Amino acid sequence: MTPDTPITQDVLTIPRKLPEAGRQNLVGLTRQEMRDALIAAGTPEKQAKMRVGQIWQWIYQKGVRSFEPMTNLAKDYRATLSEHFVIEIPEVVSRQVSDDGTRKYLVRIAGGHEVETVYIPETDRGTLCISSQVGCTLTCSFCHTGTQKLVRNLTAAEIIGQVMLARDDLGEWPEPGRAPKNEQRLVSNIVLMGMGEPLYNFEAVRNAMKIAMDNEGISLSRRRITLSTSGVVPEIARTAEEIGCLLAVSFHATTDAVRDKLVPINKRWNIAELLEALRAYPKLSNSERITFEYVMLKGVNDSDEDARRLIRLISGIPAKINLIPFNEWPGSPYERSDWKRIRAFADIIYKAGYASPIRTPRGEDIMAACGQLKSATERARKSRREIAAEAGL
Ligand code: SAH
Ligand code: SF4
């Protein structure tokens, strides 16, 4: 890509699919959309709100996938619902479990495309890393997903469906008729850090996260959801206002010259513009710190001078700096910084008063670590030469 090539939002949004003889999927609909759909299928308007509440609980609290078990609805009504609707989530094609317990799901969505979802169990939490697009329009030079051209945006159903399929696999739905388990949740946190740029699929991501946060369903606090963006500046305020989750930003460099190469969206919105949007975020979203993600690339962005510049840049922003040791992938044009270098970098940041955790690579043996995701089936991939040329190497 040349510096003046505009980064376009070349995104195909497929219409909400009408599976199996035109039956509409209820998964992924907002409450309002579900209400409209139920009314269109003959539900009396006066009852519609209550029916949405009941069906919502069955789908998102109890995890049912058909209408027969919805015993608080009349039999005839359940039959009508089955004629018009389905409750459908994407299919898990394969599941790999890493030595460290990380699980990677290969998920097939409509059209035969595939995305990956990763579950990372830790002692105090279980984090699900979900994808928002098949591929990515952006071409960050250190990211495996960036070598795969964008195929399409995921729908809200496909996004929230990733949470549901992980709960299926982990057995995290209460038995019908039993009270929800009280023990610690298995999926306690969601990070939008899988494949794709979530802010280039804003509406579907927002609607899916609203479903995840809805108290009558999956009921995750907005503070347990983190959206990671490469820096789509115009959508950052909207994220605060319409989603209100925590924000992470793929920062990765401390000068525009280097960031232009690593995160090419920087040519559209540079570091100064990005920081301005980030400064406003905590207040707008009434949330705490912003996570600055910083991938450690040997000899590229890992000097003491970079660490000091980073501190100067983010001064005044409540922040945590998450250092990510670079995860290699076949053909990747960078190397991971040495551990000694990463620790020295972390130390400078820590001494300036910021938390600077080093992200332990998880699931590397199954290519589930940050930036390693890429669906093997997509053929529209770039060559090593193209990646190097785009990175200006
Ligand atoms: N598109 C979004 C979210 C997905 S990427 C974004 O860019 O923020 C999730 C995180 O993994 C980002 O911080 C990304 O920069 C980082 N990442 C990508 N490739 C990586 C790699 N090979 N090694 C380590 N981190 C990587
Ligand atoms: Fe896309 Fe994020 Fe990868 Fe950049 S780091 S190519 S924005 S998925």
Side-chain angles (χ1 to χ4, degrees):
M1 188 182 296
T2 57
D4 47 7
T5 308
I7 296 160
T8 49
Q9 203 177 326
D10 177 22
V11 172
L12 298 172
T13 301
I14 54 158
R16 205 180 296 287
K17 73 183 162 129
L18 295 177
E20 295 174 49
R23 290 192 291 166
Q24 187 181 4
N25 192 6
L26 289 184
V27 176
L29 300 187
T30 63
R31 280 177 176 270
Q32 183 61 43
E33 286 168 342
M34 197 188 286
R35 184 175 178 276
D36 294 346
L38 294 183
I39 291 170
T43 306
E45 270 196 59
K46 274 194 189 149
Q47 292 176 12
K49 191 166 173 236
M50 183 176 73
R51 299 288 171 240
V52 169
Q54 290 170 316
I55 295 169
W56 195 276
Q57 286 187 7
W58 283 109
I59 298 179
Y60 296 114
Q61 213 166 59
K62 303 190 175 72
V64 307
R65 299 289 146 75
S66 63
F67 296 97
E68 297 87 87
M70 301 188 179
T71 44
N72 56 353
L73 301 176
K75 222 168 174 207
D76 291 355
Y77 186 55
R78 281 183 262 160
T80 310
L81 290 174
S82 327
E83 275 165 33
H84 290 89
F85 304 110
V86 290
I87 303 167
E88 217 174 60
I89 65 167
E91 178 198 353
V92 177
V93 183
S94 70
R95 188 193 75 170
Q96 283 172 280
V97 183
S98 156
D99 294 341
D100 67 14
T102 300
R103 294 174 184 217
K104 181 168 90 170
Y105 306 100
L106 182 63
V107 176
R108 183 167 302 142
I109 58 169
H113 306 298
E114 287 166 359
V115 291
E116 290 171 334
T117 307
V118 179
Y119 175 70
I120 308 149
E122 288 173 279
T123 42
D124 62 338
R125 68 182 65 189
T127 302
L128 193 70
C129 178
I130 61 180
S131 295
S132 55
Q133 300 184 308
V134 187
C136 190
T137 43
L138 303 173
T139 51
C140 303
S141 50
F142 53 89
C143 174
H144 204 196
T145 309
T147 67
Q148 181 186 321
K149 288 181 178 138
L150 181 81
V151 180
R152 72 165 169 86
N153 273 340
L154 299 195
T155 62
E158 291 158 348
I159 297 170
I160 196 65
Q162 294 171 65
V163 180
M164 296 163 78
L165 65 87
R167 290 188 109 191
D168 284 352
D169 184 50
L170 297 164
E172 205 187 10
W173 300 105
E175 297 277 317
R178 285 215 208 136
K181 291 179 212 156
N182 262 341
E183 67 251 40
Q184 207 194 6
R185 278 174 177 243
L186 297 171
V187 177
S188 65
N189 293 61
I190 294 176
V191 294
L192 282 145
M193 293 186 186
M195 295 162 67
E197 167 50 59
L199 295 189
Y200 273 157
N201 186 13
F202 190 89
E203 280 83 11
V205 165
R206 176 198 57 207
N207 292 354
M209 292 306 102
K210 290 250 179 227
I211 293 172
M213 293 186 273
D214 190 296
N215 278 335
E216 249 181 335
I218 296 166
S219 189
L220 277 179
S221 150
R222 66 191 183 87
R223 293 198 165 80
R224 288 186 173 271
I225 299 175
T226 304
L227 182 151
S228 175
T229 180
S230 57
V232 185
V233 166
E235 303 288 4
I236 288 180
R238 214 175 148 205
T239 306
E241 283 153 9
E242 297 182 30
I243 310 177
C245 59
L246 300 183
L247 188 71
V249 60
S250 293
F251 209 65
H252 305 320
T254 61
T255 63
D256 281 323
V258 177
R259 197 164 190 271
D260 279 354
K261 286 185 182 158
L262 299 182
V263 190
I265 201 175
N266 196 67
K267 294 178 207 157
R268 178 89 161 258
W269 296 289
N270 64 19
I271 291 180
E273 289 166 293
L274 175 59
L275 288 170
E276 201 183 313
L278 296 177
R279 265 176 224 291
Y281 192 86
K283 210 169 153 205
L284 280 180
S285 64
N286 184 27
S287 69
E288 310 79 22
R289 297 177 298 182
I290 289 181
T291 300
F292 284 77
E293 297 166 284
Y294 199 96
V295 64
M296 298 298 293
L297 303 171
K298 193 179 205 160
V300 175
N301 63 355
D302 61 352
S303 69
D304 287 355
E305 188 45 35
D306 278 306
R308 284 191 283 267
R309 232 183 342 248
L310 180 61
I311 294 160
R312 282 199 298 277
L313 286 171
I314 65 171
S315 140
I317 304 178
K320 158 174 133 186
I321 291 96
N322 210 332
L323 300 176
I324 317 175
F326 174 60
N327 294 311
E328 296 197 6
W329 36 271
S332 57
Y334 300 104
E335 278 175 74
R336 178 183 290 182
S337 307
D338 298 331
W339 286 104
K340 223 174 115 205
R341 183 88 297 273
I342 300 179
R343 277 196 295 270
F345 195 98
D347 211 42
I348 295 174
I349 293 167
Y350 181 74
K351 287 198 174 118
Y354 296 96
S356 55
I358 301 168
R359 193 183 287 173
T360 328
R362 297 289 302 260
E364 271 184 304
D365 53 336
I366 54 169
M367 288 283 286
C370 297
Q372 290 184 315
L373 306 184
K374 171 170 173 169
S375 35
T377 52
E378 300 302 343
R379 286 185 228 302
R381 60 186 60 167
K382 294 174 197 153
S383 67
R384 288 179 195 198
R385 197 173 43 75
E386 280 177 292
I387 302 162
E390 281 175 0
L393 297 172

